[in-house]
């Protein structure tokens, strides 16, 4: 017969956030030592009370443990349990000392008092009106979240962080809204995808051919393709993939596509003779970019109508004490004539020198110049290289968190004669549309970037399409300057770009900046990466391993993925100690950890790819503070799935950034990701040192393989046809 046990979680020994499997140490009444409980729970946290239904078993390897068939959060009933629960940080603004005060007064009735008469807390010393409101709001949220969690668990799904987000979005009507259309969760709630919503819908009895299910499946397939960089999808492919996903007839999918079109959620347009399906916002963005480029190119006004270009070039060479190469001079001439110019080329070809020259000329003519880049780090580097102020594109366009929109646009354009955007290869179709629509007819545009790097993380290939369309002037720089040729990092990058295996420093050479440390097995590679970051590079180059050394990995998962490497590096660089820490969504965050924002958070004005450092962890207020480029940003513990550790980053996430030292693990198990532009991008992120760790054949494999995956985007065709 099944037994029921309950108590507070003392330690989360193991938790798999994907399937909820966990190994917990739980303090049970009458037992001196915590018991091991094994089961499934969405988001176990230390201090949380759980109820487990199951049986005691004797595991050969791990000893006696309680194997739970059902594991759910529960409220404590004893005085000691209630005090531990309230003091654990479960309720915002109640810490251990205040919990002891409250429970000392109300004993076993404490939770009932919080439920029915919370205003009596105002009589307790230390609780003023503001603190009371925080406590009451947190308790109300916990109560509703618990109700949602129980509902989800009854449907076979874990609750945890999902339940918190559901409550904050839908409020007390959450369960009724979910029952009426479970697929709204996939549209509205971060971290809940179609498959989770579909499993819930099936539990609630929704038929496989229900129209709401088929329509949600179509949007899911389009969203998945968007995540892979596509702007649209050929209709035949969409019908095929949605039909396979949903296991329904293709005719039902076609009917659902027509319904979504009539609701203006998607757009159908013939591209090269075949019908393509777009999410409406992406179609608007792609059409908008083409229109903006045409408008800017066609505008007759020009910032420098009477400039003597040759004299200006001679003047700027003297001012900067930098003679320009012939192709650099050509680029400067074009910038002084054209309304829209793209400058592209690899490292060491003089892109920065051209930007500085053009900027000096415009400033000397008293023209208003605005500089920006897609990420904070790229904007900071642009400012350092030019000596002028630079912003992220989001801040340039004055994003307004309250409205969720940009304040700069056609009705309130940027006030500029010249707009310079660096790292333009990172610009996706949506950001490109917002940027170009905000530039006035009177301004000139200069896009600078390396088109041979990885394309943008978001949908589209904006820079590549602009270049391929031949509708705007392009200055492609290929000559490596003498000083740059002395860097093996730069010569290696150009060799990789040409499909040649780069020359690496021989063993014992201490003068190079580009090395391959050969290791064969994943374990050996991981161990060497940790040693390089924590010991060898800091000792040899005198750098701070937490600040100056960045690991860039091809993949997220696996033994050499970012998740595994981050755990290994955190344990060495910022081990568990006396400093505060918090565990959420399968990740432990500690004071001083390097972290990365993984999605756009408009309310915080922090964007996908921004890097920061954990500055404070307040368990009483359930908040973690991160410093991003000197600006402190607060996160509720329930929002920590927006952050990941950043000791190791994916190569895609490193775009737009440079680091003093870069370490790149490579192995043949990365085969699916080993491509030329991936390794090229990784190598070009290093400024002083790049170290590859792995077998030479993995490097050779990456150099030989070109990225053959084309993205579905029609921007090039739209630019040509206009």
């Amino acid at each position: 017969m099944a037994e029921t046990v309950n108590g507070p979680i003392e330690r989360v020994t193991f938790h798999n956030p994907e399937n909820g499997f966990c190994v917990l140490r739980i303090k049970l009444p009458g037992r001196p030592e915590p018991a091991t409980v094994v089961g499934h729970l969405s988001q176990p946290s230390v201090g949380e009370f759980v109820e487990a239904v199951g049986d005691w078993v004797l595991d050969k390897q791990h000893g006696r443990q309680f194997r739970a068939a059902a594991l759910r959060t529960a409220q404590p009933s004893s005085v000691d349990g209630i005090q531990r629960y309230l003091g654990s940080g479960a309720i915002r603004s109640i810490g251990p000392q205040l919990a002891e005060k409250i429970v000392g007064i109300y004993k076993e009735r404490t939770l009932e008092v919080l439920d029915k008469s919370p205003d009596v807390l105002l009589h307790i010393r230390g609780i003023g009106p503001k603190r009371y409101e925080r406590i009451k709001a947190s308790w109300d949220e916990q109560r509703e979240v618990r109700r949602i969690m129980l509902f989800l668990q009854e449907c076979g799904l874990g609750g945890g962080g999902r339940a918190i987000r559901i409550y904050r979005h839908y409020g007390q009507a959450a369960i009724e809204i979910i029952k009426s259309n479970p697929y709204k969760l996939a549209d509205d709630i971060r971290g809940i995808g179609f498959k989770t919503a579909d499993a819930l819908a099936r539990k609630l009895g929704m038929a496989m051919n229900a129209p709401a299910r088929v329509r949600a499946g179509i949007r899911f397939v389009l969203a998945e393709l968007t995540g892979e960089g596509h702007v649209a999808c050929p209709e035949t492919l969409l019908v095929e993939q949605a039909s396979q996903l949903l296991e329904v007839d293709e005719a039902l999918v076609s009917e659902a596509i027509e319904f979504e079109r009539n609701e203006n959620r998607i757009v159908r347009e013939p591209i090269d003779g075949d019908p393509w399906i777009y999410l409406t916002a992406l179609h608007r963005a792609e059409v908008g970019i083409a229109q903006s480029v045409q408008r800017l190119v066609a505008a007759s006004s020009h910032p420098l109508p009477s400039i003597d270009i040759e004299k200006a070039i001679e003047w700027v060479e003297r001012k900067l004490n930098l003679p320009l190469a012939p192709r650099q001079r050509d680029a400067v001439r074009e910038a002084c004539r054209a309304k829209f110019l793209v400058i592209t080329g690899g490292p060491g070809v003089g892109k920065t020198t051209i930007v500085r020259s053009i900027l000096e000329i415009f400033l000397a003519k008293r023209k208003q110049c605005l500089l920006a880049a897609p990420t904070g780090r790229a904007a900071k580097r642009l400012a350092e290289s030019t000596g002028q102020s630079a912003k992220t594109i989001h801040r340039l366009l004055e994003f307004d968190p309250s409205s969720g929109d940009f304040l700069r646009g056609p009705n309130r354009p940027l006030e500029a004669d010249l707009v310079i955007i660096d790292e333009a290869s990172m610009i996706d179709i949506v950001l490109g549309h917002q940027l170009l629509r905000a530039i006035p007819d009177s301004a000139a545009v200069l896009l600078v970037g390396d088109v041979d790097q990885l394309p943008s993380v978001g949908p589209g290939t904006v820079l590549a399409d602009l270049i391929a369309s031949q509708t705007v002037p392009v200055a492609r720089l290929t000559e490596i300057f003498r000083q740059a040729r002395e860097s093996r990092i730069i010569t290696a990058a150009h060799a990789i770009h040409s499909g040649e295996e780069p020359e690496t420093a021989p063993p014992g050479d201490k003068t190079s900046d580009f090395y391959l440390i050969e290791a064969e097995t994943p374990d050996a590679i991981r161990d060497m990466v940790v040693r390089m970051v924590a010991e060898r590079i800091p000792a040899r180059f005198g750098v701070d391993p937490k600040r100056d050394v960045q690991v860039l990995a091809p993949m997220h998962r696996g033994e050499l993925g970012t998740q595994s490497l981050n755990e290994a590096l955190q344990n060495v660089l910022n081990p568990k100690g006396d400093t505060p820490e918090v565990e959420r969504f399968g990740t432990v965050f500690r004071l001083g950890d390097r972290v990365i924002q993984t999605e756009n958070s408009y309310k915080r004005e922090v964007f996908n790819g921004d890097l920061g450092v954990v500055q404070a962890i307040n368990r009483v207020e359930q908040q973690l503070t991160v410093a991003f480029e000197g600006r402190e940003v607060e996160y509720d513990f329930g929002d920590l799935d927006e952050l990941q550790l950043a000791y190791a980053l994916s190569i895609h996430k490193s775009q737009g950034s440079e680091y003093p030292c870069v370490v790149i693990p490579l192995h043949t198990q990365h085969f699916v990701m080993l491509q030329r532009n991936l390794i090229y991008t990784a190598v070009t992120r290093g400024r002083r040192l790049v170290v590859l760790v792995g077998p030479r054949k993995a490097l050779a494999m990456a150099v030989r393989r070109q990225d053959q995956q084309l993205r579905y985007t029609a921007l090039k065709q739209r630019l040509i046809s206009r």
Side-chain angles (χ1 to χ4, degrees), residues 132-203:
Y132 165 74
E133 288 299 329
R134 290 199 301 270
I135 292 172
K136 184 176 184 304
S138 182
W139 177 258
D140 290 345
E141 178 180 271
Q142 285 288 319
R143 183 178 59 236
E144 291 301 317
V145 166
R146 190 176 301 278
R147 193 167 69 94
I148 295 168
M149 286 175 67
L150 289 173
F151 168 71
L152 294 177
Q153 288 169 352
E154 287 168 1
C155 295
L157 299 175
R162 292 170 175 165
I164 294 171
R165 288 192 290 272
I166 290 169
Y167 170 72
R168 291 179 180 175
H169 191 84
Y170 297 134
Q172 295 186 353
I175 293 176
E176 289 69 29
I177 291 171
I178 294 169
K179 286 180 176 179
S180 66
N181 182 4
Y183 296 101
K184 278 185 67 62
L185 290 171
D187 293 331
D188 298 339
I189 308 300
R190 186 184 77 251
I192 298 184
F194 171 81
K195 293 181 181 178
T196 300
D198 195 38
L200 179 57
R202 302 302 300 279
K203 287 283 186 179

Side-chain angles (χ1 to χ4, degrees), residues 552-593:
L552 300 179
M555 301 180 75
H556 288 291
R557 304 190 186 282
E559 296 171 273
L560 296 175
T562 57
Q563 293 179 355
S564 174
L565 289 168
N566 268 316
E567 288 182 14
L569 289 164
Q570 184 192 45
N571 288 336
V572 173
L573 299 177
N574 196 21
K576 182 177 178 64
D578 296 331
T579 58
E581 66 176 43
V582 58
E583 193 263 340
R584 286 293 188 278
F585 304 102
T587 300
V588 175
F589 297 97
R590 296 180 183 135
L591 204 64
D593 273 337

Side-chain angles (χ1 to χ4, degrees), residues 153-362:
Q153 288 169 352
E154 287 168 1
C155 295
L157 299 175
R162 292 170 175 165
I164 294 171
R165 288 192 290 272
I166 290 169
Y167 170 72
R168 291 179 180 175
H169 191 84
Y170 297 134
Q172 295 186 353
I175 293 176
E176 289 69 29
I177 291 171
I178 294 169
K179 286 180 176 179
S180 66
N181 182 4
Y183 296 101
K184 278 185 67 62
L185 290 171
D187 293 331
D188 298 339
I189 308 300
R190 186 184 77 251
I192 298 184
F194 171 81
K195 293 181 181 178
T196 300
D198 195 38
L200 179 57
R202 302 302 300 279
K203 287 283 186 179
L204 293 173
M206 184 171 285
M208 289 186 66
N209 61 354
R213 179 174 185 265
V214 182
R215 295 197 293 267
I218 289 168
R219 295 195 298 275
F220 170 72
V221 172
L222 285 173
E224 286 284 286
L225 289 166
T226 298
E228 296 171 7
H230 301 288
V231 181
C233 179
E235 186 167 5
T236 53
L237 179 61
L238 175 60
V239 171
E240 177 186 335
Q241 290 195 359
S243 176
Q244 291 176 355
L245 168 75
L246 299 165
E247 299 180 8
V248 299
D249 190 80
E250 290 187 356
L252 286 176
V253 176
S254 296
E255 289 177 13
I257 287 174
E258 289 304 315
F259 181 91
E260 292 293 288
R261 283 186 62 229
N262 292 332
E263 293 293 310
N264 294 319
R265 295 194 185 102
I266 62 176
V267 173
R268 175 193 286 126
E269 183 181 355
I271 303 294
D272 295 335
D274 294 322
W276 283 18
I277 302 296
Y278 289 79
L279 290 170
T280 300
L282 296 185
H283 183 266
R284 185 185 307 119
E286 188 174 88
V287 171
I289 285 183
Q291 292 174 339
S292 292
V293 172
Q294 181 192 34
R295 168 179 61 82
L296 291 165
V297 170
S300 58
S301 57
H302 190 282
L304 299 174
S306 60
I307 186 173
D308 186 325
I309 296 176
E310 299 309 316
K311 284 186 177 180
I313 291 174
E314 292 175 5
W315 171 82
V316 81
E317 286 180 320
R318 290 194 303 272
K319 180 175 176 59
L320 299 180
N321 194 26
L322 283 172
L324 299 177
R327 288 210 176 179
Q328 290 179 312
R329 283 173 165 248
D330 290 341
V332 174
R333 289 188 188 99
E334 196 66 56
C336 293
R337 289 193 296 255
K339 287 299 303 299
F340 204 119
L341 175 64
V342 172
I343 297 176
T344 188
V349 297
K351 297 190 298 292
T352 299
T353 299
I354 294 175
V355 171
R356 287 182 62 194
S357 301
I358 293 168
L359 192 56
E360 291 291 346
I361 292 172
F362 273 67

Side-chain angles (χ1 to χ4, degrees), residues 394-415:
H394 283 86
R395 291 199 171 89
L396 180 74
L397 300 179
E398 298 177 22
F399 184 80
D400 179 16
S402 62
S403 66
D405 206 352
F406 293 100
L407 299 180
R408 293 289 183 175
N411 297 326
R412 187 170 172 256
L414 296 168
E415 297 171 8

Side-chain angles (χ1 to χ4, degrees), residues 71-86:
L71 190 61
R72 64 180 62 191
T73 56
Q75 287 190 347
S77 55
S78 68
V79 170
D80 179 62
I82 293 170
Q83 182 174 321
R84 288 169 61 87
Y85 171 66
L86 292 182

Side-chain angles (χ1 to χ4, degrees), residues 26 64 315 386 487:
I26 295 180
R64 184 173 170 80
W315 171 82
T386 61
S487 166

Side-chain angles (χ1 to χ4, degrees), residues 303-304 335 355-372 382 386-391 396 414-421 443-446:
L304 299 174
V355 171
R356 287 182 62 194
S357 301
I358 293 168
L359 192 56
E360 291 291 346
I361 292 172
F362 273 67
L363 291 174
K365 290 292 182 179
R366 301 185 183 278
K367 297 300 179 180
Q368 177 71 22
C369 302
L370 297 178
L371 287 72
L382 178 61
T386 61
Q388 300 294 320
S389 173
K391 301 178 179 179
L396 180 74
L414 296 168
E415 297 171 8
D417 299 303
L418 173 66
V419 178
I420 299 176
I421 305 296
V445 180
L446 176 60

